[in-house]
Amino acid sequence: MESRAINFGAGPSALPASVLQEATKGLLNFKGTGMGIAEISHRSKEFTAYLQSVEQNIRKLLDIQPTHSILFTQGGGSTQFSAVVLNMLARHRLLHPQLSDEDRVLDYVVTGSWSKKAAEEARRMGGSTVNIAADSRKYSKDQKSFDNIPTADAYSFSNDPALIYYCANETVDGVEFSAEENSPASFPFQLLPRNALLPLVGDYSSSFMSRPIPHLSDHAIIYAGAQKNVGPAGLTILIVRNDCIVDVDAAARLGAIPVPICLSYKTLADHNSLYNTPPVLSIYITGLVLEYMLQLGGLDYYAGLTNRKSKKVYDVLKYGENKGIFKGKVKEGSGSQMNIVFDVLGEGLLAKFIAGAEERGMKGLKGHRSVGGVRVSIYNAVTEEETDLLISYMEQFAGQHKVDKE
């Protein structure tokens, strides 16, 4: 293969080179059919068998029990901002037909740009009252920044909400709920009502398949765009507890908001995610990635890899902070393991840092336009060796520059 850049972009993100090489074969001849994967019918026996194998491998990697269904759809996390609300309000309507819209509460934990957008969409949809169960901006120095995960005493959950939403990892702002149960930055599962049908919704788009999901079986819905850790853009993976796959038309007859047919989880479940043409190519490459992950040791391997890579980046960031060149954007203990964000101090040094990285074949390091600075995304396919090259560059850059202090 020709020399490839090191892709530190936030998504669509890097994919394993061996997977891409394997995918080229399927583009020409999928499973001996003589047709490429981008040409074959999604209802062919070869593709439907392949789709089942993708589901089985997701179950195997995350240890998903039969209590939950795995659904494949399109539209990314942003479409799920709407679909989650509609399906969970339909469920709540069937459970509590007598309640007024104002008495149907949706709890949102707002810790960054994506959860903020999700809460805004819930308000826009109507049919409920949106309760902000926690807002991390209140605990930032300027009362405006998403730079922390709130501690347990900051949460105020409703008694019987139709859903409780959180975003596990905020790619823009670089904050993430810890997977460690006793960490102050972990999600406060202990505060939630202890019942088997908890309406908990987790957006795991940017940490999906980087480590096990805490309390997975307690979730009503988990969703993730594939384009961070497991595949190309175009595929959204849903893990939906079976009691949340409801008859949305029956709920509409009782006054719920009608759900577009392709946003209904029941439509997806009843047709094995094949009601309409799914993102066939994205599913194919995702399947190859999942097989590759299993060969390497599954989520135990990737959790260890993620821990090592992120520790190295945070260590060199601390070194650069001590030199007065770098400045982290997130409070210690709340930082993402997937998306590490920081500023480069000194006039013109940010542009110089980005340019120097690109000269060394490192792409995608520029921070999100809304927050600026640098964003290092170290998704699964970014190797430890590639991360070490960035570490070396950051260390060298911090040692070669100094910022004048007034």
Side-chain angles (χ1 to χ4, degrees), residues 179-376:
E180 303 297 328
E181 287 280 343
N182 297 322
S183 168
S186 62
F187 188 83
F189 295 102
Q190 72 278 10
L191 299 181
L192 301 176
R194 301 318 301 165
N195 65 67
L197 300 180
L198 198 63
L200 184 61
V201 177
D203 179 346
Y204 271 80
S205 286
S206 35
S207 56
F208 191 65
M209 290 292 182
S210 67
R211 64 188 190 195
I213 295 175
H215 295 265
L216 187 150
S217 60
D218 289 336
H219 287 73
I221 301 165
I222 289 167
Y223 65 83
Q227 71 275 10
K228 310 293 187 179
N229 278 317
V230 295
L235 171 64
T236 308
I237 300 167
L238 309 176
I239 303 169
V240 183
R241 199 174 61 225
N242 295 330
D243 66 280
C244 298
I245 300 172
V246 302
D247 187 339
V248 296
D249 293 334
R253 288 192 291 271
L254 293 174
I257 302 170
V259 181
I261 196 163
C262 287
L263 295 187
S264 164
Y265 296 154
K266 191 170 190 302
T267 300
L268 293 171
D270 287 350
H271 295 86
N272 298 314
S273 301
L274 294 172
Y275 176 79
N276 63 334
T277 308
V280 173
L281 180 59
S282 295
I283 290 170
Y284 172 59
I285 297 177
T286 295
L288 296 179
V289 172
L290 297 175
E291 290 172 7
Y292 177 80
M293 291 179 67
L294 286 165
Q295 291 168 12
L296 291 181
L299 293 194
D300 287 343
Y301 168 82
Y302 280 99
L305 177 64
T306 297
N307 287 338
R308 292 194 304 274
K309 290 190 299 185
S310 61
K311 184 180 185 305
K312 288 180 179 183
V313 178
Y314 278 113
D315 283 349
V316 77
L317 175 56
K318 180 68 73 176
Y319 169 79
E321 287 181 325
N322 292 335
K323 289 284 188 179
I325 295 297
F326 302 143
K327 186 176 188 233
K329 290 176 173 286
V330 176
K331 290 181 180 179
E332 191 168 348
S334 294
S336 168
Q337 289 192 310
M338 291 280 99
N339 312 98
I340 299 162
V341 295
F342 60 92
D343 286 319
V344 181
L345 306 178
E347 187 175 351
L349 287 187
L350 172 60
K352 190 171 184 179
F353 178 85
I354 297 293
E358 294 201 353
E359 287 171 6
R360 291 163 174 79
M362 302 178 208
K363 307 281 189 175
L365 285 165
K366 194 171 182 180
H368 190 273
R369 61 188 179 278
S370 64
V371 295
V374 174
R375 174 170 52 178
V376 180

Side-chain angles (χ1 to χ4, degrees), residues 23 49 76 82 86 132 137 163 166 169 173 178 190 218 249 256 258 303 308 343 381 404:
S82 311
L86 292 170
I132 303 301
R137 288 172 293 188
L163 65 84
Y166 73 101
N169 180 64
D173 310 281
S178 173
Q190 72 278 10
D218 289 336
D249 293 334
R308 292 194 304 274
D343 286 319
D404 293 330

Side-chain angles (χ1 to χ4, degrees), residues 121-167:
E121 176 65 359
R123 284 197 189 92
R124 194 186 72 83
M125 299 292 293
S128 66
T129 298
V130 173
N131 170 54
I132 303 301
D135 187 333
S136 68
R137 288 172 293 188
K138 295 179 181 177
Y139 307 98
S140 66
K141 191 172 181 179
D142 62 5
Q143 303 267 295
K144 297 177 182 178
S145 301
F146 291 119
D147 66 359
N148 69 93
I149 294 294
T151 53
D153 57 355
Y155 294 81
S156 178
F157 293 110
S158 305
N159 289 329
D160 184 24
L163 65 84
I164 303 165
Y165 167 97
Y166 73 101
C167 182

Side-chain angles (χ1 to χ4, degrees), residues 49-68:
Y50 188 82
L51 186 63
Q52 290 172 4
S53 74
V54 174
E55 176 184 339
Q56 290 165 4
N57 284 339
I58 292 173
R59 285 193 183 277
K60 191 181 300 182
L61 283 160
L62 287 169
D63 190 25
I64 300 170
Q65 300 304 305
T67 52
H68 289 67

